[in-house]
Amino acid sequence: MSSQTVATIDVAALGHNLRRVRHYAPASAVLSVVKANAYGHGLATVIEALHDTDAFAVGTLAEAIELRKISPDKAIVILQGAADPADLSICQKNNFQPVIHSPHQIEDLRTISAKPLKCWLKINTGMRRLGLAAGDYDDTLKTINNMAATQKPLVLMSHFACADEPDRMENRHQINLFQPLLERHDGETSFCNSAATIAFPEVHGDWVRPGIMLYGISPMKDRTAAALNLRPVMTLTSRLIAVYEARAGDNVGYGATWQCPENMRIGVIGIGYGDGYPRHAPNGTPVVINGRRSSLVGRVSMDMLTVDLRNQPDARPGDEVVLWGEGLPIEDIAEAAGTIAYELVCRLTGRVDYQLKQT
């Protein structure tokens, strides 16, 4: 029996969004980021739809192993790199490309022999998460270039911290740190995530690394996906499972946190935090029923949401409800819930059915 809650994946939208990446960065190769089960969209589906990409990136070695089963030929970059020499050996056997971002990983390279690895060297320019200091670039590169374990030259990379807000001075600081390295690096370079691909064409380099924009979600704080001509890939829907009449003053939901201001209809939707919908979504968070927006009232439960149906006189049990996606931008839900769209798509649970929309 299928679930009444469905994530419909628009396969054509993935191809469209990849073309939008190439529109913004026509001179760069595309490293499509498909970590976290392709941002919750289903790895196998996304890999097939993005067959025109130049390479794929994942977060971990385990993800790379899973991806290699689906994509035997494409280059796969591991953004967290290898944890130890045993991981490096697995990278050799599977033609994975690990990111080198810390001194212990450089030391681990000394322990392997035989087939040289293609590696990416990550420099920290201000994100302060992973990466070697920019001032250590020359010495680090010299050390690695003296090793037989790596293919030469390495790919040089860094990562923006604030590219979704292009006017932030931190962006210019990072560019000023990385630009001299870009100009004197003999090999390929990569600096731009989704937001930077749109905002900073001067540092596109040889590879751009789109993630969230591939899934039709805006990476920018000041522009919507529609304004960027990105198409939503995931549409999450469920159904009304009950409609009832409530009286003025009646409480709705756990904790009696919302009271009916007048006699009104309340709808119950068969989705909750057990399916991955955010429990902290507040009163007023939008849903779409029969082409019209309604809003949550009362707390999100494990299996159910309650909604105000005062503007939905014809709503009936069985009616489809759009939680986000086509007709309701996921960014609107994220803003209402005080989170980001990345989290929403990544946290759906196994109770949600996935279906494909091919056209």
Side-chain angles (χ1 to χ4, degrees):
M1 180 180 297
S2 62
S3 169
Q4 63 196 346
T5 298
V6 176
T8 300
I9 305 301
D10 187 340
V11 175
L14 283 161
H16 168 85
N17 296 334
L18 176 58
R19 291 190 292 275
R20 291 299 294 159
V21 173
R22 295 198 187 278
H23 166 79
Y24 282 107
S28 301
V30 178
L31 178 63
S32 294
V33 182
V34 294
K35 60 186 179 178
N37 193 28
Y39 288 53
H41 288 70
L43 185 64
T45 296
V46 170
I47 295 308
E48 182 177 356
L50 296 180
H51 58 85
D52 285 338
T53 192
D54 299 293
F56 291 111
V58 292
T60 67
L61 178 62
E63 290 179 329
I65 292 170
E66 180 183 1
L67 174 53
R68 181 57 81 212
K69 296 173 185 176
I70 304 167
S71 179
D73 301 318
K74 288 281 188 184
I76 299 175
V77 178
I78 304 176
L79 297 174
Q80 291 183 14
D84 52 40
D87 284 0
L88 287 174
S89 296
I90 295 172
C91 289
Q92 287 178 310
K93 293 176 183 176
N94 291 276
N95 293 317
F96 298 150
Q97 300 178 15
V99 171
I100 305 299
H101 55 73
S102 60
H104 84 272
Q105 293 176 321
I106 298 172
E107 291 305 309
D108 286 346
L109 287 171
R110 299 183 189 278
T111 68
I112 64 171
S113 57
K115 183 179 179 180
L117 279 168
K118 181 171 183 178
C119 296
W120 295 53
L121 178 63
K122 188 165 191 177
I123 300 296
N124 169 37
T125 56
M127 183 71 161
R128 294 183 181 86
R129 191 172 59 180
L130 296 177
L132 296 148
D136 294 337
Y137 164 79
D138 292 306
D139 289 342
T140 298
L141 197 63
K142 182 178 179 180
T143 298
I144 296 177
N145 282 341
N146 285 331
M147 296 179 179
T150 60
Q151 295 180 23
K152 313 301 188 298
L154 281 72
V155 184
L156 182 68
M157 68 183 298
S158 191
H159 191 72
F160 279 96
C162 305
D164 57 337
E165 299 178 271
D167 293 335
R168 293 274 297 268
M169 66 178 183
E170 290 89 347
N171 294 314
R172 186 51 51 189
H173 174 72
Q174 288 193 253
I175 291 173
N176 289 343
L177 273 178
F178 201 56
Q179 189 81 53
L181 306 186
L182 290 172
E183 292 172 355
R184 70 177 191 263
H185 186 70
D186 290 335
E188 296 174 313
T189 59
S190 178
F191 198 10
C192 294
N193 58 3
S194 291
T197 296
I198 294 168
F200 300 113
E202 68 271 26
V203 288
H204 278 165
D206 299 286
W207 291 89
V208 292
R209 308 190 306 272
I212 199 67
M213 71 183 295
L214 290 171
Y215 307 99
I217 298 169
S218 175
M220 314 302 295
K221 286 197 172 181
D222 61 348
R223 277 174 279 179
T224 65
L228 297 169
N229 191 15
L230 299 173
R231 287 167 47 184
V233 174
M234 177 192 290
T235 296
L236 182 67
T237 59
S238 191
R239 295 192 179 276
L240 283 174
I241 61 173
V243 174
Y244 66 89
E245 301 289 337
R247 299 181 62 82
D250 284 352
N251 298 319
V252 176
Y254 282 118
T257 60
W258 194 86
Q259 288 187 335
C260 297
E262 58 186 292
N263 295 346
M264 58 185 291
R265 300 171 83 226
I266 297 291
V268 183
I269 306 169
I271 184 175
Y273 62 79
D275 306 276
Y277 194 86
R279 183 181 181 276
H280 55 282
N283 298 324
T285 301
V287 301
V288 170
I289 305 171
N290 298 324
R292 186 180 302 170
R293 285 200 180 199
S294 297
S295 58
L296 300 192
V297 293
R299 287 181 179 167
V300 174
S301 302
M302 183 182 291
D303 311 304
M304 288 169 278
L305 310 176
T306 43
V307 291
D308 181 347
L309 292 182
R310 282 178 290 180
N311 68 337
Q312 300 275 357
D314 299 322
R316 297 290 182 270
D319 286 353
E320 185 178 81
V321 181
V322 176
L323 287 310
W324 64 64
E326 193 170 346
L328 180 58
I330 192 172
E331 294 91 340
D332 291 1
I333 313 306
E335 182 178 4
T339 185
I340 55 176
Y342 300 70
E343 182 183 13
L344 298 181
V345 291
C346 287
R347 70 185 301 171
L348 294 183
T349 73
R351 300 207 309 183
V352 177
D353 277 352
Y354 279 70
Q355 297 179 1
L356 303 186
K357 177 182 177 182
Q358 296 287 354
T359 59

